[in-house]
Amino acid sequence: MENFVFYNPVKILFGKGQIANIAAEIPAEAKILITYGGGSIKTNGVYDQVKAALAGRNVFEFGGIEPNPHLETLLKAVELIRKESIDFILAVGGGSVVDGTKFIAAAVPFKGDPWDILAKGAPVTAAVPFGAVLTLPATGSEMNTGSVVTKWETQEKLFFTSPLVFPRFSVLDPETTYSLPPRQISNGIVDAYTHVMEQYLTYPANAPLQDRLAESILKTLIEEGPKTLANPQDYDARANLVWSATLALNGLIGAGVPQDWTTHMIGHELTALHGLDHAQTLAVVLPSTLSIKRDRKWQKLLQYGERVWGIVEGDEEERVNLAIAKTRNFFESVGVRTRLSDYGVGLDTIPVIIDRFEKRGFVALGEHKDVNPQTVEQILTLSA
Ligand code: NZQ
Ligand code: ZN
């Protein structure tokens, strides 16, 4: 096992009715800004619950944060917070609202152009405190330090991380997710699944506990995901899906083990250039990444095949092929297509993506840092 530091201070309020308890988590005198997305919280009752919980408090609102949140929109919230001297933010929505709020929180005290936080890795030295009410299980943003923001003007989608943007608390009430359309439930399953794979499907690192934690999350997603799709009001299935998605990317399973993230880095470009949902890009890229990097992932592919999919028959090559095929089939079975052509994206996107990586100063990807532009080309070609 590699050395690691594990730190995760996010307080989780899990379960039915937990929104009612948020007032106690926010300083009594705080000027609060509620941030939200395109309006789903107004139709599913979440907004009303939040407003009721904060009755009598000093509350401002900022709506309209898009999926794959736009820098241009978020900067308007930064302006509002500075103008009104707001000192606590409450993000209410999916990963985009939470990610967008992390950026807002870091941008408010930032001196200079806040885009530098993403484009130049400018250090975050302070952030406005915030909490989250999560309505879409997928990203893990509710319990991690990551944020992905899109600059609409240039169609760039970049990320930053900082321990200063851990939420102070996150409410996970599975009932708030009942109103999700099937596409977003499916996206959440695939995103969480891929988060686990990015941290697990690398090479053996003598970390059997992390391996088994990862395998447990994968198996839970395989069991509970389809149940949730079939019966959206099944509380237990939904609760298990929500908690799986959070644990998939809160730092726990990735502590002390090598990590890949090739699929995500390529996926962000597909979203930025072609507007695919985040999870759609992952469903396209992950099976190809596993195929192209199979030699270096061989032992873990065998282990994954056996422990997650029960594959014990056949020679090693057959088992590896089947493990990858099962992954693709699972994504398709929960309703997320796995080919670029399913989304009308042609191979002419490949040189554009590689050019972008190179202009940013290509840093080799993957657990061995051996995914170079040529590998990216192979992966995307196989994703056609
Ligand atoms: O905007 P509203 O009206 O709220 O509608 C949203 C949006 O249209 C809707 N929705 C959310 N909760 C709902 C609901 N509709 C009905 N009922 C509910 N309860 O769902 C749509 C998608 O929402 P979004 O927040 O964009 O989805 P998701 O949670 O999948 O977030 C995706 C973003 O997170 C980033 C992605 O790149 C993408 O920008 N990620 C963040 C990560 C992190 N912070 O660690 C890691 C991930 O790998 C990912 O990159
Ligand atoms: Zn993801």
Side-chain angles (χ1 to χ4, degrees), residues 5-14 91 93-99 101-102 130-147 160-172 191 195 199 217 241-255 261:
V5 173
F6 178 70
Y7 172 69
N8 194 318
V10 183
K11 181 170 180 178
I12 297 292
L13 284 71
F14 192 100
S96 292
V97 172
V98 181
D99 278 14
T101 300
K102 288 175 175 175
F130 73 98
V133 174
L134 186 81
T135 64
L136 197 173
T139 62
S141 188
E142 65 279 9
M143 201 176 177
N144 71 32
T145 57
S147 164
F160 80 100
T161 64
S162 165
L164 292 168
V165 296
F166 269 123
R168 296 297 164 104
F169 65 88
S170 285
V171 174
L172 305 179
D191 194 18
H195 292 158
Q199 301 165 89
I217 297 173
L241 176 61
V242 169
W243 192 224
S244 296
T246 300
L247 287 185
L249 196 51
N250 75 343
L252 182 64
I253 65 169
W261 298 105

Side-chain angles (χ1 to χ4, degrees), residues 36-44 46 64-69 92-100 102 134-150 157-161 174-181 184 187-188 191-192 194-195 198 238 249 261 264 268 271 277-279 281-282:
Y36 62 95
S40 69
I41 65 163
K42 295 251 168 112
T43 48
N44 63 10
V46 171
I65 297 177
E66 311 82 357
N68 310 304
V92 186
S96 292
V97 172
V98 181
D99 278 14
K102 288 175 175 175
L134 186 81
T135 64
L136 197 173
T139 62
S141 188
E142 65 279 9
M143 201 176 177
N144 71 32
T145 57
S147 164
V148 196
V149 172
T150 296
K157 187 176 183 192
L158 302 178
F159 75 95
F160 80 100
T161 64
E175 290 189 329
T176 66
T177 72
Y178 284 172
S179 56
L180 283 166
Q184 299 301 345
N187 280 348
D191 194 18
T194 307
H195 292 158
E198 298 271 29
R238 194 64 74 120
L249 196 51
W261 298 105
H264 270 71
H268 288 338
T271 298
D277 292 350
H278 174 61
T281 71
L282 307 176

Side-chain angles (χ1 to χ4, degrees), residues 54-112:
L54 297 179
R57 306 291 289 265
N58 196 351
V59 174
F60 294 72
E61 294 180 19
F62 183 87
I65 297 177
E66 311 82 357
N68 310 304
H70 297 178
L71 171 76
E72 291 82 351
T73 304
L74 304 173
L75 288 177
K76 292 181 187 154
V78 171
E79 218 174 285
L80 174 67
I81 291 174
R82 287 177 178 161
K83 181 164 153 271
E84 300 291 347
S85 304
I86 284 163
D87 44 23
F88 198 94
I89 316 175
L90 182 65
V92 186
S96 292
V97 172
V98 181
D99 278 14
T101 300
K102 288 175 175 175
F103 175 77
I104 295 166
V108 168
F110 189 79
K111 307 260 182 294

Side-chain angles (χ1 to χ4, degrees), residues 321-342:
N321 285 339
L322 189 54
I324 298 170
K326 288 271 187 191
T327 309
R328 181 185 296 283
N329 292 345
F330 175 62
F331 292 166
E332 294 274 353
S333 77
V334 295
V336 186
R337 310 300 305 272
T338 61
R339 296 283 177 192
L340 283 174
S341 55
D342 293 322

Side-chain angles (χ1 to χ4, degrees), residues 19 23 47 91 109 163 165 167 181 211-212 243 270 281 314 343 355 363 383:
I19 293 173
Y47 175 83
V165 296
D211 280 0
R212 290 197 174 92
W243 192 224
L270 291 170
T281 71
Y343 303 96
D355 186 52
V363 181
S383 308

